[in-house]
């Protein structure tokens, strides 16, 4: 089977259109699916957005695989990947579930104590998708409310099927694919002195504008046989800050899905950011500033790079 990536790209008007990439070629999915149907094939899903494609993942996945094979064989005309401007692969996720403190080395570097995993459950917070998600090359805008924006490279899990009360044995059956997420954090807004009865302010800390760079695309789960072997790296300019494997998670993907689906039905287009390893800025007193570039790579997925500017 041909490996491919599901993505969004900007058309001449700047609007996002779903696309499919194989190697250095991209094909517009509305056009490709229309041609596929004209040849007498079934394609009972909408190509209006990547979200609508995910909503019918059982139907769309084999069609995307067929189009990928045709693109690889030169039977479908594509355009050069280098000539298109990518957008975030999901505009927008239904929800972004962010796993907190899910790598032991990161937990320790932030001043936490190692714990017995059998005595605790996964810990999550939410980000507001439409306010926080940006794509490759888009500006991370540091708001005037914070002086300590930190980076967090994370493996993103994209949901492609409805799931409730899943077990670890069947949890990954609802995963459509994987992407990269940068869970930016305003470290100086994590607590509220004016509300001493509350220990944390997750809203101000995590859900500011442009705080969830995502991309560059979604790699189908079928192309990632073992997500725990994926290597995660992050650079700030030329400084290599994070270097880990996804297998170093405390709670793995199956455990996270089990926990979340016990509380609500996971839906196609949901995004789980699975936590970050050690190497963030706060323990070293280093934070993002205008003029920086954040670059994240995850083997088997790709590269997500974003410049940093001053926001409002």
């Amino acid at each position: 089977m041909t490996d491919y990536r599901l993505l969004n790209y900007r058309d001449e008007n700047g609007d996002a259109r779903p696309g499919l990439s194989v190697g250095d070629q991209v094909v517009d999915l509305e056009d490709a699916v229309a041609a596929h149907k004209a040849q007498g094939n079934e394609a009972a899903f909408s190509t209006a957005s990547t979200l609508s494609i995910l909503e019918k993942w059982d139907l769309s996945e084999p069609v995307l695989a067929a189009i990928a094979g045709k693109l690889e064989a030169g039977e479908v005309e594509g355009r050069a990947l280098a000539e298109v401007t990518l957008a975030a692969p999901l505009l927008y996720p239904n929800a972004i579930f962010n796993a907190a403190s899910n790598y032991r080395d990161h937990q320790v570097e932030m001043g936490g104590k190692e714990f017995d995993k059998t005595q605790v459950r996964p810990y999550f917070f939410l980000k507001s998708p439409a306010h926080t998600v940006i794509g490759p090359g888009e500006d991370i805008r540091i708001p005037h409310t914070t002086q300590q924006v930190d980076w967090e490279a994370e493996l993103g899990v994209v949901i492609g099927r409805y799931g409730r009360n899943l077990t670890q044995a069947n949890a990954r059956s609802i995963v459509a694919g994987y992407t990269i997420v940068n869970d930016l954090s305003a470290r100086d807004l994590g607590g509220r002195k004016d509300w001493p009865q509350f220990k944390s302010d997750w809203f101000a800390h995590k859900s500011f504008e442009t705080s969830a760079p995502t991309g560059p695309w979604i790699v189908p789960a079928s192309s990632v046989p073992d997500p725990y072997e994926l290597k995660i790296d992050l650079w700030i300019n030329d400084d290599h800050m994070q270097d880990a494997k996804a297998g170093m998670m405390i709670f793995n993907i199956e455990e996270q899905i089990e926990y979340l689906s016990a509380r609500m039905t996971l839906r196609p287009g949901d995004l789980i950011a699975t936590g970050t390893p050690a190497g963030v800025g706060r323990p070293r007193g280093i934070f993002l500033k205008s003029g920086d570039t954040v670059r994240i790579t995850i083997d088997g997925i790709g590269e997500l790079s974003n410049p940093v500017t001053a926001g409002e």
Side-chain angles (χ1 to χ4, degrees):
M1 187 180 72
T2 302
D3 289 333
Y4 67 90
R5 290 95 70 178
L6 177 63
L7 55 83
N8 279 315
Y9 73 96
R10 301 286 183 187
D11 65 14
E12 60 274 11
N13 298 316
D15 297 325
R17 292 182 62 87
L20 181 148
S21 174
V22 173
D24 60 359
Q25 293 289 301
V26 177
V27 66
D28 181 90
L29 273 176
E30 183 178 6
D31 295 342
V33 171
H36 185 77
K37 292 168 71 174
Q39 295 171 353
N41 299 299
E42 291 291 328
F45 59 93
S46 169
T47 56
S49 67
T50 52
L51 180 58
S52 68
I53 292 168
L54 288 166
E55 286 172 345
K56 300 288 185 180
W57 188 242
D58 286 334
L59 298 175
S60 62
E61 185 178 20
V63 175
L64 298 184
I67 291 171
K70 293 177 182 178
L71 181 59
E72 184 179 49
E75 299 172 14
V76 173
E77 184 176 354
R79 66 190 76 183
L81 177 61
E83 295 177 0
V84 303
T85 299
L86 297 178
L90 271 175
L91 294 170
Y92 291 93
N94 298 313
I96 306 175
F97 302 100
N98 297 77
S101 195
N102 197 38
Y103 284 71
R104 295 190 188 280
D105 56 357
H106 174 57
Q107 184 182 76
V108 171
E109 76 172 349
M110 297 296 283
K113 296 180 180 179
E114 291 197 40
F115 54 74
D116 180 353
K117 177 181 171 180
T118 65
Q119 302 301 309
V120 297
R121 301 290 287 144
Y123 191 105
F124 284 94
F125 58 90
L126 292 166
K127 286 199 173 193
S128 174
H131 300 85
T132 62
V133 168
I134 58 173
E138 294 186 60
D139 288 354
I140 295 168
R141 301 192 304 274
I142 299 177
H144 71 276
T145 53
T146 175
Q147 301 300 313
Q148 296 184 2
V149 172
D150 203 348
W151 56 86
E152 295 188 14
E154 308 199 8
L155 175 65
V157 176
V158 180
I159 302 300
R161 298 174 181 90
Y162 289 90
R164 182 69 197 269
N165 292 321
L166 294 163
T167 66
Q168 292 178 46
N170 63 8
R172 274 168 60 186
S173 67
I174 69 167
V175 175
Y178 302 94
T179 190
I180 301 172
V181 179
N182 188 354
D183 172 25
L184 295 170
S185 307
R187 300 296 189 195
D188 49 351
L189 303 180
R192 291 283 294 270
K193 293 180 179 179
D194 56 334
W195 289 88
Q197 64 268 48
F198 298 126
K199 292 183 178 180
S200 300
D201 186 344
W202 287 100
F203 169 70
H205 184 191
K206 293 287 191 175
S207 209
F208 53 92
E209 206 164 80
T210 74
S211 64
T214 305
W217 38 58
I218 298 166
V219 175
S222 58
S223 295
V224 186
D226 187 356
Y228 302 114
E229 285 297 313
L230 299 178
K231 191 169 183 296
I232 302 170
D233 291 276
L234 178 145
W235 289 261
I236 306 299
N237 305 319
D238 295 325
D239 296 323
H240 193 188
M241 296 296 195
Q242 292 186 279
D243 181 351
K245 273 193 173 181
M248 296 165 64
M249 294 179 196
I250 298 172
F251 294 102
N252 64 26
I253 294 165
E254 292 87 343
E255 291 168 315
Q256 293 183 46
I257 290 175
E258 179 185 57
Y259 178 86
L260 290 168
S261 70
R263 287 149 179 82
M264 61 183 69
T265 300
L266 292 178
R267 303 169 59 87
D270 286 346
L271 175 62
I272 303 172
T274 55
T276 198
V280 300
R282 176 180 161 182
R284 292 172 279 189
I286 304 170
F287 301 101
L288 294 177
K289 62 185 183 303
S290 182
D292 285 342
T293 298
V294 185
R295 183 167 65 92
I296 302 171
T297 63
I298 298 184
D299 289 350
I301 297 180
E303 177 179 303
L304 174 65
S305 182
N306 296 92
V308 181
T309 64
E312 298 177 352

